[in-house]
């Protein structure tokens, strides 16, 4: 399988580890116990200092601006859950490849993100900080059960490996429904990352293991990796079929989407995602020559919170639609 | 009134004169009388030779290709009536500023077309060939009734002066309906030139005198001229109001239409006219910098018959939509 095939389909790879501290109540039972919060922050800070020197940022959810925290959600650096929690905090490396959430569902959630399809690198980066954290905090681990977690489905390796994929052809041809059901039986979850419907906005899907229990880290990486490889092939075939079946009609839709992105004066997030998805497909099919990474970045950067963050303005929906159009125009030029 | 104002609103000016020959039956009574047809052709040919040397073309409707004759209709050089008539013929100057139809409703219909708003030039050019024709044919004229014509409403000067106008703002704001009714009372007809509905495709309207009877040439030119001047002002005001009321929404529609024209891979005639109309409005409102004459030409050149004529291919509807998109792309570059 050539490298381009990955680039056309896989956006990014993530590995998430859930960790908790011995003899401390789980976050949902934490109320007003600020000393516990301090213990956690201290331990994570020491670990980050040791590993990342001062190349990281620290955010406390009760002190951060709404637009700023939303922009972190949009970049998948924190969860919506964390954004709304009183004792939530996050340590994020400058390169935004590692994020450690404090007091999400578990005491700690380590997340490692790399561009493209690279489960091994993502895992190694997460394992590195995981190891360091053990030097500073008393991580709860049971010989039989593995890592202890707030939700029993995470017990064991407490790891989720997930790959963000661009699957326009499987989605347009409605084959994705069948694919989702098939992988469900194999312990793999496929879901849209923006929006909850089975048809993902922007044709972007997250492929991940369902449960960590009774599976080793190695086994999880292998299963998710295999599913992704198969999906890459299935999407490739579906794209060729789509191109053969719809030809100039598909090309026309793609080129009009490009024209709209290039010339619009206002555009909603949803419209943009749809147009951008078609443009990306156009690049894959050879109708357009554009930088795929740049297009993937655009998708994140033009989300509502990011727009306010970048433009340093408080914007209402209409204001954002106008700002988004300007941003896209600049980005495409 | 500055010159630009005209250019933003008036596309072209036409003057049409109806003429018949003494003691010959009107065309609808002409059946199998080929000698009459020969007399007409001979007279017009001699006149054209005298005035235009060999700078003109001659078409016989029973000999011309369907696509070619359709392309003449689309350029308003001949009527649909003439296209379908057995003994119909047309003499058209190389510059396509003069067309003489033989055996349309009348024996002869002289038509003069000039770009922009120029009733005087259009009239003078028509009058010049009219004068020459009198040297070669016995034109029917009655001291009391004026020129004799097949339809009594044309009696008298037998002249129709018409101006093709681009009235998007009056049309979008539905003010055009009121305007049409008001001018009807003043003997002025306003109608769409492509398609018959009151809402003209491409927001293009033809403003002309209703009847020639009892009005001198000078009077007709004055009345039509006044109506056009008033419409130019009304359209100008409506455009400013529209811009103020719809601002960025209107600009967005315009720019998206431009994006579609620039990037589409297939487009129907109707879609194209709508997009092109918005682009033209965009030029008028200062959102786009494009050559207005070129845009007006595009409108004619991308009509179905013209596309086949230019591309020298027999094309079905889908083929034309694809060819039209290519043509537009080249034209806009």
């Amino acid at each position: 399988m050539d490298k381009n095939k990955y680039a056309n389909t896989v956006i990014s790879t993530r590995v998430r580890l859930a960790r908790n501290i011995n003899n401390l109540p789980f976050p949902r039972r934490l109320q007003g116990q600020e000393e516990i919060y301090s213990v956690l922050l201290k331990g994570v800070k020491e670990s980050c200092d040791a590993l990342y020197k001062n190349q990281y940022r620290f955010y406390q959810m009760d002190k951060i601006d709404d637009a700023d925290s939303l922009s972190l959600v949009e970049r998948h650096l924190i969860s919506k859950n964390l954004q709304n929690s009183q004792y939530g905090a996050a340590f994020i490396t400058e390169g935004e490849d590692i994020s450690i959430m404090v007091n999400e569902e578990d005491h700690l959630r380590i997340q490692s993100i790399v561009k493209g399809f690279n489960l091994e690198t993502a895992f190694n980066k997460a394992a590195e900080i995981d190891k360091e954290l053990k030097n500073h905090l008393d991580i709860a681990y049971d010989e039989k059960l593995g890592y202890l977690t707030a939700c029993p489905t995470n017990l064991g390796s407490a790891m989720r490996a997930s790959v963000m994929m661009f699957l326009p052809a499987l989605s347009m041809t409605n084959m994705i429904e069948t694919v989702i059901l098939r992988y469900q039986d194999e312990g793999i979850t496929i879901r849209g990352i923006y929006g909850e419907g089975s048809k993902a906005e922007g044709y972007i899907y997250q492929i991940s293991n369902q449960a960590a229990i009774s599976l080793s880290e190695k086994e999880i990486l292998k299963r998710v990796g295999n599913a992704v490889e198969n999906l890459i092939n299935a999407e490739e075939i579906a794209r060729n079929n789509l191109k053969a079946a719809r030809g100039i009609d598909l090309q026309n839709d793609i080129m009009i989407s490009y024209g709209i992105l290039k010339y619009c004066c206002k555009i909603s997030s949803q419209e943009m995602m749809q147009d951008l998805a078609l443009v990306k497909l156009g690049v894959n099919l050879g109708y357009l020559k554009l930088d795929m990474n740049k297009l993937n970045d655009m998708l994140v950067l033009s989300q509502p919170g990011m727009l306010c963050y970048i433009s340093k303005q408080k914007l209402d929906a209409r204001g954002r639609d106008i700002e988004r159009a300007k941003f896209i125009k600049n980005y495409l030029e």
Side-chain angles (χ1 to χ4, degrees), chain A:
Chain A
M1 195 177 295
D2 65 287
K3 217 187 156 187
N4 221 15
K5 226 165 169 176
Y6 291 118
N8 285 347
T9 320
V10 182
I11 298 169
S12 62
T13 307
R14 279 187 287 166
V15 164
R16 185 266 289 151
L17 304 173
R19 297 295 181 252
N20 290 280
I21 314 303
N22 267 324
N23 303 317
L24 287 189
F26 285 131
R28 72 182 59 150
R29 300 200 159 218
L30 260 181
Q31 267 180 343
Q33 302 179 59
E34 285 163 40
E35 63 279 19
I36 296 178
Y37 186 47
S38 308
V39 167
L40 287 169
L41 293 189
K42 187 170 170 283
V44 181
K45 191 182 180 305
E46 284 169 3
S47 310
C48 286
D49 284 341
L51 216 58
Y52 311 126
K53 314 296 171 207
N54 51 6
Q55 301 296 300
Y56 70 91
R57 284 167 278 148
F58 171 60
Y59 302 93
Q60 277 179 287
M61 290 307 127
D62 58 346
K63 288 181 183 149
I64 189 177
D65 196 67
D66 277 356
D68 288 358
S69 66
L70 179 60
S71 81
L72 294 175
V73 173
E74 287 164 357
R75 277 175 287 168
H76 307 285
L77 293 168
I78 66 170
S79 64
K80 280 204 171 158
N81 263 347
L82 190 82
Q83 192 194 7
N84 301 321
S85 74
Q86 197 191 346
Y87 288 108
F91 293 81
I92 298 172
T93 56
E94 286 293 346
E96 300 192 344
D97 53 344
I98 294 284
S99 143
I100 304 156
M101 287 189 276
V102 178
N103 285 329
E104 213 259 12
E105 191 180 289
D106 297 292
H107 288 139
L108 303 177
R109 290 214 153 183
I110 303 163
Q111 191 186 234
S112 151
I113 314 174
V114 297
K115 284 200 176 178
F117 184 32
N118 207 331
L119 283 162
E120 208 183 309
T121 303
F123 174 70
N124 290 341
K125 283 187 176 191
E128 185 187 38
I129 180 74
D130 182 37
K131 199 177 154 197
E132 186 61 39
L133 284 163
K134 284 172 190 157
N135 297 333
H136 306 275
L137 288 162
D138 181 19
I139 304 290
Y141 183 80
D142 178 273
E143 282 302 327
K144 259 192 178 158
L145 294 170
Y147 290 102
L148 302 181
T149 53
C151 177
T153 59
N154 287 326
L155 280 172
S157 67
M159 178 169 108
R160 166 165 276 173
S162 65
V163 176
M164 222 192 273
M165 297 186 77
F166 176 56
L167 304 173
L170 287 174
S171 188
M172 281 180 189
T173 55
N174 294 318
M175 285 165 64
I176 195 76
E177 318 283 344
T178 319
V179 169
I180 287 173
L181 289 174
R182 202 184 68 206
Y183 279 103
Q184 221 158 39
D185 297 338
E186 298 176 20
I188 296 290
T189 301
I190 303 180
R191 60 181 171 194
I193 58 139
Y194 293 105
E196 278 306 302
S198 67
K199 257 209 179 160
E201 279 186 78
Y203 309 121
I204 297 177
Y205 295 84
Q206 181 183 301
I207 286 79
S208 64
N209 56 310
Q210 259 160 36
I213 201 159
S214 85
L215 287 181
S216 70
E217 283 90 346
K218 213 176 147 185
E219 186 61 26
I220 291 170
L221 294 176
K222 197 179 141 198
R223 288 202 185 184
V224 172
N226 284 344
V228 170
E229 297 268 5
N230 289 337
L231 279 167
I232 289 172
N233 285 326
E235 171 67 20
E236 189 83 1
I237 292 165
R239 283 184 197 179
N240 290 333
N241 290 343
L242 198 65
K243 191 175 178 177
R246 295 200 51 221
I248 204 159
D249 296 313
L250 178 63
Q251 188 182 3
N252 187 51
D253 290 348
I254 287 168
M255 295 308 290
I256 284 180
S257 282
Y258 180 61
I260 289 174
L261 287 181
K262 218 168 154 182
Y263 289 106
C264 68
C265 306
K266 56 165 202 174
I267 191 164
S268 73
S269 177
Q270 209 167 353
E271 275 172 67
M272 184 222 39
M273 275 200 280
Q274 179 59 27
D275 288 327
L276 200 52
L278 281 176
V279 165
K280 283 168 61 183
L281 180 61
V283 173
N284 296 158
L285 297 180
Y287 296 141
L288 281 164
K289 275 198 174 55
L290 293 165
D291 182 346
M292 204 62 163
N293 285 328
K294 233 174 148 178
L295 295 176
N296 284 332
D297 288 348
M298 257 174 76
L299 195 66
V300 175
L301 296 174
S302 56
Q303 296 298 314
M306 283 306 291
L307 280 174
C308 296
Y309 180 75
I310 295 170
S311 70
K312 294 179 175 56
Q313 296 174 61
K314 288 212 185 288
L315 298 166
D316 60 4
R318 189 178 163 83
R320 285 197 302 274
D321 289 355
I322 294 169
E323 206 57 37
R324 182 176 294 113
K326 281 187 207 162
F327 170 79
I328 294 172
K329 206 183 300 288
N330 286 336
Y331 222 79
L332 283 179
E333 263 161 19

